[in-house]
Amino acid sequence: MGHLQELGMRQGWTYETIVSTFSHEVPHAAPIGVWTEQFNELHMEIYDSSHTLRNILDTGHFVANFPPDVALIHAALFHSAQLTFEPAHEIASPLLCGSSAAVELVLRQASPLPGRTRITGMAVHVHTREDIRLLNRAEGLLLESLIITTRLPHLDNTAARGTLAENYRVIRKVAPRSHYEEAMADVLRNVDVPS
Ligand SMILES: Cc1cc2nc3c(=O)[nH]c(=O)nc-3n(C[C@H](O)[C@H](O)[C@H](O)COP(=O)(O)O)c2cc1C
């Protein structure tokens, strides 16, 4: 069955996955960020307009598939006909082929928030491959921010500083208490952007 600990997720960090569900027996997939707190459940916040949310609430079953790279997220958004699925082991949901890991989930809680719903799924089966890849936005955001700092004299100053502040906000959200957060705070100090 496998355990969530095997994935190497850090508590409270958000990882980008592709959530697969059934919509009236038809497989459906959409990128969704997930995090864990106690390593027995995954949490996510899903916009109320989302088909994925409707499918989860209708069926009570869903799978968080961890893509090996961003290309699979691109395919899920723009080339869904290219995606292939197989049956999940413990639940009535499609499992996305080609993931580096996948977690089969049973809906435990759905809590309304403004414009979105916080979903908690209990992990009932964890699939892992040898080369598990976890995608977190903090590293890319820090890298982009470093590039922006080298270009500040040539960019629209207000817009560039706004982007740096926004990148810091997102880094703190997706990788709290990380070295990315520390490094980004240092970047802001160096270019005199309030954090
Ligand atoms: C990397 C990435 C992460 C995303 N994370 C979320 C998320 O956490 N919650 C959400 O509601 N939408 C998220 N989205 C947007 C949904 O994937 C997008 O709205 C999608 O069209 C929903 O599809 P659906 O209506 O078929 O479920 C994300 C998109 C990307 C590209």
Side-chain angles (χ1 to χ4, degrees):
M1 117 114 199
H3 296 282
L4 271 183
Q5 281 93 334
E6 289 169 31
L7 302 189
M9 297 172 80
R10 298 193 185 206
Q11 278 174 310
W13 287 33
T14 300
Y15 299 95
E16 304 309 329
T17 70
I18 299 171
V19 170
S20 52
T21 50
F22 269 131
S23 169
H24 305 291
E25 316 291 318
V26 179
H28 183 85
I32 302 284
V34 310
W35 71 95
T36 190
E37 285 160 8
Q38 303 296 338
F39 293 102
N40 58 345
E41 297 170 331
L42 291 183
H43 307 279
M44 53 202 80
E45 287 183 6
I46 310 184
Y47 295 117
D48 288 336
S49 57
S50 155
H51 295 96
T52 298
L53 177 63
R54 196 187 58 207
N55 297 343
I56 292 172
L57 296 177
D58 282 353
T59 65
H61 292 174
F62 51 122
V63 181
N65 305 275
F66 291 76
D69 56 38
V70 180
L72 199 54
I73 293 181
H74 170 233
L77 274 182
F78 293 106
H79 305 282
S80 57
Q82 291 176 2
L83 302 179
T84 54
F85 300 90
E86 58 183 295
H89 288 204
E90 304 290 337
I91 58 173
S93 284
L95 190 69
L96 182 62
C97 299
S99 304
S100 72
V103 182
E104 299 186 16
L105 296 158
V106 171
L107 179 62
R108 177 170 270 180
Q109 199 171 11
S111 313
L113 298 167
R116 59 203 199 283
T117 298
R118 180 175 163 153
I119 291 289
T120 297
M122 182 176 59
V124 294
H125 196 97
V126 178
H127 303 256
T128 53
R129 290 199 328 208
E130 274 174 29
D131 48 348
I132 296 173
R133 176 92 194 276
L134 298 176
L135 295 180
N136 173 276
R137 296 168 66 193
E139 186 177 8
L141 285 168
L142 175 62
L143 189 58
E144 288 304 316
S145 300
L146 291 170
I147 293 168
I148 289 172
T149 61
T150 67
R151 302 291 304 153
L152 271 181
H154 313 285
L155 297 171
D156 172 339
N157 209 22
T158 310
R161 286 166 186 275
T163 303
L164 291 175
E166 171 63 7
N167 287 356
Y168 182 49
R169 183 191 71 79
V170 177
I171 288 172
R172 276 187 299 170
K173 181 175 163 218
V174 301
R177 296 173 300 283
S178 63
H179 60 285
Y180 300 117
E181 178 179 336
E182 262 176 48
M184 190 66 207
D186 183 61
V187 168
L188 295 186
R189 273 193 300 275
N190 273 287
V191 296
D192 286 328
V193 173
S195 52

